[in-house]
Amino acid sequence: MKRLFIRLGGTLTLSAGLIACGGGSGVGSTSASPRLLATAESSVTPTAASPVIHMLGDSTMTMYTQDRRPQMGWGEAMPQFFDSTVKVNNWALGGRSSRSFYYEATRWPAILPKISAGDYVIVQFAHNDQKSGSDYATYGTYAFCSDGTMDGEACVGRPDKLDPTVDISEHSYYQWLKKYVQQIRARGANPILMSPIVRKYFSGTTITPTGQHNVGVIGGETYARGDYVAAMKAVAAKYSVPFVDITAETRKIVESYGDAAATANLYIAADSTHPQVLFANLIAKRAVEGMKKLAILNDHMVPVTSLIASPGTLDYATRYVGMPTTKSVTLSAFDLDPAAGTVTVTAPTNFSLSLDNVNWTQSVGIPFANGAFIQPLAVRFTPGEAKSYGGNVSFTVGNVPLNTTLAVQGTGISAAGGIPSYASWFTAGTSLSPVTDGLVTGSNASVSGLVAQSSKVIAVDGQDTTVARYVADSPVRNDRQFLQFAVSPGNGTFTVDTISTYLTSSGGSTVVADIEYSLNSDFSGSTRLNTAPLKFVKDTFTARLVYPVVVQVPAGRTLYVRVFPWNTAGTLGKMLAIYGVKVSGSAKNPEPTFVDGTSGFSLLRSGLTWNRITNKYTASITLTNTSGTTLTGPFQLAFNHLTAGVTLDNASGTHDGVSYITAASAALAPGASLTVPVTYSNPNKVAIAYTNSIYIGNF
C-alpha cells in the first residue's frame, strides 16, 4: 500500500457559545499557554503481540452510525492507523464527564474488568465536566478544586460547596483522572492521557481560552472552573503518564482554517464542538503521531489513505427502472502524494458522477494542490432493469489506486408497486427544512403560536444530537399552538404506513403533547395518534414514537401532521424538544396513458444500419404529434413482439416484460416531432421485427 502522509498547508478561515458534548455552558478566563504535543517522560508497560487499545471519552470520541454523517467521533478513525493485530475498543459515549462515566453502570464498572495487563487505555474528558446548574451534581467538575485552590492532590477531605453531600474530590477533574490512572495501572495496563479537542470559539483569528477548556466562572458559581488541560498535564507529570496534548494540536488545525472554513469543513453545522469526518480523521492522526513520539505501538502503525468519503456507503434502496436518483457525498483529502495532481473518481455501471449536478459522466477528475481538497460529489443511480446493482466507486491518483471505500447499491423495480418514500424534519438542529426521498415532496415545518428556544444537545439512541426546542406556556392544550409538517406525492399516490418522531420535555418534565394528522389544509377531520397525552422524562428521548397508519394521499392532496405541546404545570420556561419527525410509506407515479397512434402520433422508422465493429444495429424512430394539442411527456416508446434473440441495448427498462425507451422531451406541440435513437444487438443476424406502442407518463 502506498503511504500518503498529511500536510495541512496554507490558511483557511470560524464562531462559538459553550456547547458541551451533552449540554453545558461557560465563560472564558485567562489565556492558555502553548503546550507540548506529548510528554517525553512516561511509564509504559510492554504489550503483547496483539495489543488492545481502550478509549474512554465523550461524544467527540464516540462511534456514530452512518445516518449521522458527517458527524464522526475521532475514536472511529483510530483503527485505520494500526495493523490488523491491534484491537480498538471505543467505549466513549456522548454526554459523559469524567465523573458520570465512572459511576454509570454500563461504562467504567463494566469496562474495567475487560482491561487486561499490557492493554493501553486512552482517557479524554472535559467537555461535559463543564456542565453546571442541575447537571452539576452528576457531571460537573472543576479542573483542580471547587474551592478555587489549585493543588489537585490536596483536593480532598471537605464537603463540596455546591454539592455538600459529597467530598470535594467528587467534583475535581484532577482527582478523577488520578483515579482512572491508578485503577488502570492496578490492572497492569497502560494509561494514556489525551486532552480534549478545542471548541470552535474564535476571538479574531485565535481560539479563546474557553475554547481551549480554560474556563472562567459559570453562572452564579464563585470560582472559575479552571484550566482542564493544565490539570491533565499535572496528573501526567505527577504520575509519569504518557500525555498527548490534543487541545494544542486541534487548536493549530482549527486556527489554520479560520472561523468560516472550520465551520464548513471541520465541525458539524449544529454546534462548535462535534467533529465532521475530516476533522475526526485529522484528530486521530495527531493522536497517533503523539503516541509515536512516545514510542507507543510504533511497530504496529501503518500508512493510511488520506482520501475520505462521507458517508462511506450510498444505499439507493429500490428505484423505478429508468428513473435517476441522486445522492451526495463529501470527499476530504489531506497530505496526498504527490502534493499536486488529479484524483480520478470512477463509478460502476448504472451509476454516474457530477461535480456540478449538471454534467454527468462515469468518471470525473478532481484537481488538487498542497496535497489536500474538500469536494462535494454527486452520485446518480439509474437502474436499467428490474434487478439489484452494486459496487464501489474507485479513486486513483495517477495510476496509483487509493484505498478509499465508497460502496454504492440499489435495486431497480417496476413502478407498478411503488417505491419507499419519506419526508423528515428536524434532522439538523433547528432547521425547518425537510429531507425527502422517493416520490414525495415536503414543505418547511411551520410553527404556530410557539416560540423557538435555543437548541440543546440530547442523546438520541445513545448518540449526542442537537435538537430543536419550543416553549410550551399554555397549561392546557391550545389548538392554535402547534408544529405542522406537510408532505405531498406530486403526480402519483403516497400510501403512508408510518408516522414517527422523537419528543421529550425540556427544562422540566411537565410538557406533554398530542400528535394528529389530517388530509385537509384546515386540519378538519383530524385523527389523533396517541390515546392519551404523551408524557416524558426531562431531557430524555426514551425511544422513537412510532405510529403505524394506513393513509392514502392521492395526487394533488397533502398530508398534514401536527404536534400540539402544552405545559401541565402552567409554569414558564418549559419546552418541547423535538427531533426526526418522519412520514414514510410507498409512493408511485400514475400508470402511463396509452396514446392511440391514429389520434395522437404518427411513427416513421428509418436508418437501420449495421456497425461491423460493434456488431450492433442502429436506427431511429420519429414521433410526430398529430393530436392537435400540446402533449406533455415524458413519452414511453414500447417495443412489442421484438424478435427472439434480438436485444434493445438502449432500453430505459421493461414494463410487463416489454422493453421501452423513454424519450427526453417534456412537451410536444401540435405537428412537432421527436426522434428516438434505437440500438439493437442481433448476434444471429435474423430479420428484426416488432410493433410500437406509445405512452405518456412514467412506468
Side-chain angles (χ1 to χ4, degrees):
M1 181 191 305
K2 183 177 177 61
R3 183 160 193 163
L4 298 174
F5 272 120
I6 302 173
R7 184 186 311 105
L8 275 177
T11 49
L12 302 170
T13 310
L14 212 190
S15 19
L18 189 69
I19 301 175
C21 306
S25 62
V27 182
S29 64
T30 58
S31 61
S33 59
R35 291 169 174 63
L36 299 173
L37 172 67
T39 55
E41 297 179 2
S42 57
S43 175
V44 176
T45 302
T47 187
S50 299
V52 177
I53 299 173
H54 303 273
M55 304 188 71
L56 316 180
D58 52 38
S59 58
T60 63
M61 179 191 279
T62 192
M63 306 288 290
Y64 290 92
T65 53
Q66 282 292 325
D67 65 314
R68 293 295 300 279
R69 297 294 185 246
Q71 187 166 350
M72 183 178 185
W74 68 265
E76 293 186 71
M78 284 292 280
Q80 68 184 324
F81 292 95
F82 298 96
D83 62 36
S84 60
T85 67
V86 178
K87 181 180 181 181
V88 179
N89 292 323
N90 187 353
W91 305 109
L93 203 57
R96 275 60 179 180
S97 70
S98 62
R99 174 174 163 79
S100 70
F101 194 95
Y102 184 88
Y103 285 122
E104 186 175 343
T106 63
R107 295 302 95 193
W108 192 236
I111 296 165
L112 183 59
K114 299 176 182 178
I115 296 174
S116 301
D119 288 357
Y120 293 89
V121 186
I122 296 173
V123 181
Q124 181 194 251
F125 292 103
H127 286 271
N128 298 299
D129 287 73
Q130 297 158 31
K131 288 185 177 182
S132 62
S134 60
D135 289 330
Y136 175 79
T138 302
Y139 302 96
T141 69
Y142 281 69
F144 291 96
C145 298
S146 60
D147 61 1
T149 59
M150 302 292 290
D151 184 354
E153 288 293 316
C155 191
V156 296
R158 51 199 183 275
D160 183 84
K161 182 177 180 181
L162 296 178
D163 189 8
T165 61
V166 301
D167 186 81
I168 195 170
S169 62
E170 288 288 311
H171 292 284
S172 167
Y173 180 67
Y174 180 102
Q175 286 285 330
W176 283 113
L177 295 180
K178 174 182 175 180
K179 191 171 292 190
Y180 284 112
V181 167
Q182 291 174 333
Q183 294 185 11
I184 291 166
R185 283 185 170 159
R187 302 282 301 177
N190 304 294
I192 305 171
L193 297 178
M194 294 193 181
S195 59
I197 71 170
V198 293
R199 301 182 194 271
K200 182 181 56 65
Y201 294 175
F202 270 90
S203 176
T205 59
T206 61
I207 298 294
T208 66
T210 304
Q212 299 174 67
H213 305 283
N214 188 354
V215 181
V217 175
I218 296 177
E221 295 175 3
T222 303
Y223 303 104
R225 287 295 184 92
D227 191 334
Y228 289 83
V229 180
M232 179 178 278
K233 195 170 183 180
V235 173
K238 174 72 174 178
Y239 294 95
S240 298
V241 183
F243 170 73
V244 182
D245 196 342
I246 299 296
T247 311
E249 291 302 306
T250 52
R251 176 187 177 182
K252 294 176 190 175
I253 294 171
V254 176
E255 288 181 350
S256 74
Y257 271 69
D259 198 340
T263 299
N265 302 309
L266 300 183
Y267 293 86
I268 64 171
D271 60 55
S272 299
T273 297
H274 297 91
Q276 290 192 50
V277 172
L278 172 61
F279 196 21
N281 279 268
L282 291 175
I283 298 164
K285 179 180 183 294
R286 299 301 172 92
V288 172
E289 288 174 346
M291 293 172 65
K292 186 172 184 179
K293 289 182 184 240
L294 294 164
I296 299 174
L297 294 176
N298 289 21
D299 293 341
H300 293 276
M301 294 178 182
V302 297
V304 298
T305 301
S306 58
L307 178 63
I308 306 151
S310 176
T313 301
L314 295 178
D315 186 354
Y316 294 81
T318 50
R319 290 292 179 266
Y320 287 153
V321 170
M323 179 174 290
T325 301
T326 302
K327 292 181 178 289
S328 296
V329 299
T330 298
L331 303 178
S332 304
F334 47 90
D335 279 357
L336 290 172
D337 184 13
T342 299
V343 171
T344 300
V345 189
T346 305
T349 303
N350 288 90
F351 295 86
S352 54
L353 309 172
S354 178
L355 301 178
D356 57 10
N357 280 291
V358 175
N359 301 296
W360 295 90
T361 57
Q362 198 166 1
S363 182
V364 298
I366 302 173
F368 64 89
N370 299 319
F373 68 83
I374 296 177
Q375 174 67 56
L377 175 70
V379 184
R380 175 172 289 179
F381 169 50
T382 309
E385 54 185 299
K387 69 175 188 179
S388 295
Y389 296 84
N392 289 304
V393 176
S394 63
F395 303 85
T396 58
V397 176
N399 295 320
V400 179
L402 300 181
N403 190 27
T404 300
T405 301
L406 175 55
V408 291
Q409 59 189 33
T411 301
I413 61 169
S414 167
I419 63 172
S421 303
Y422 69 81
S424 186
W425 296 264
F426 289 126
T427 56
T430 59
S431 173
L432 301 176
S433 301
V435 175
T436 61
D437 196 15
L439 299 175
V440 297
T441 58
S443 304
N444 282 0
S446 59
V447 184
S448 174
L450 299 173
V451 178
Q453 186 56 272
S454 61
S455 62
K456 184 176 179 65
V457 178
I458 301 177
V460 177
D461 291 335
Q463 298 182 344
D464 271 12
T465 306
T466 301
V467 303
R469 299 189 299 171
Y470 289 85
V471 175
D473 56 8
S474 175
V476 295
R477 171 167 160 163
N478 183 338
D479 286 347
R480 295 181 180 178
Q481 295 182 347
F482 57 83
L483 299 165
Q484 178 171 285
F485 312 91
V487 57
S488 304
N491 295 325
T493 300
F494 182 28
T495 302
V496 180
D497 57 33
T498 307
I499 298 173
S500 62
T501 185
Y502 288 93
L503 298 176
T504 194
S505 180
S506 186
S509 297
T510 56
V511 174
V512 298
D514 285 336
I515 307 176
E516 300 181 8
Y517 70 86
S518 173
L519 287 171
N520 301 312
S521 58
D522 61 2
F523 217 67
S524 59
S526 65
T527 299
R528 184 176 303 172
L529 296 174
N530 51 293
T531 56
L534 298 167
K535 298 180 180 180
F536 314 103
V537 177
K538 173 191 170 186
D539 294 328
T540 303
F541 292 126
T542 53
R544 175 178 279 277
L545 299 167
V546 179
Y547 298 97
V549 295
V550 179
V551 183
Q552 286 275 349
V553 187
R557 298 291 298 277
T558 299
L559 177 70
Y560 301 91
V561 177
R562 289 182 180 178
V563 177
F564 298 90
W566 69 98
N567 180 13
T568 57
T571 53
L572 299 177
K574 310 306 178 187
M575 294 154 282
L576 177 78
I578 185 167
Y579 175 79
V581 178
K582 189 173 185 179
V583 178
S584 54
S586 177
K588 65 178 182 178
N589 282 328
E591 283 289 304
T593 302
F594 175 72
V595 181
D596 187 341
T598 60
S599 61
F601 283 96
S602 65
L603 277 71
L604 176 64
R605 302 180 181 90
S606 61
L608 182 63
T609 60
W610 177 47
N611 187 315
R612 295 178 179 273
I613 298 176
T614 63
N615 200 30
K616 296 183 184 298
Y617 292 82
T618 58
S620 63
I621 298 176
T622 301
L623 310 179
T624 302
N625 179 5
T626 59
S627 69
T629 61
T630 297
L631 299 175
T632 300
F635 305 104
Q636 313 289 346
L637 182 62
F639 288 72
N640 309 297
H641 314 298
L642 186 62
T643 301
V646 177
T647 302
L648 185 64
D649 293 322
N650 65 325
S652 300
T654 60
H655 182 68
D656 293 335
V658 177
S659 298
Y660 66 88
I661 297 175
T662 301
S665 176
L668 204 61
S673 298
L674 176 67
T675 299
V676 181
V678 184
T679 304
Y680 309 92
S681 288
N682 185 9
N684 299 322
K685 306 296 190 295
V686 297
I688 300 174
Y690 57 86
T691 60
N692 286 121
S693 297
I694 304 170
Y695 297 84
I696 296 177
N698 282 309
F699 285 119

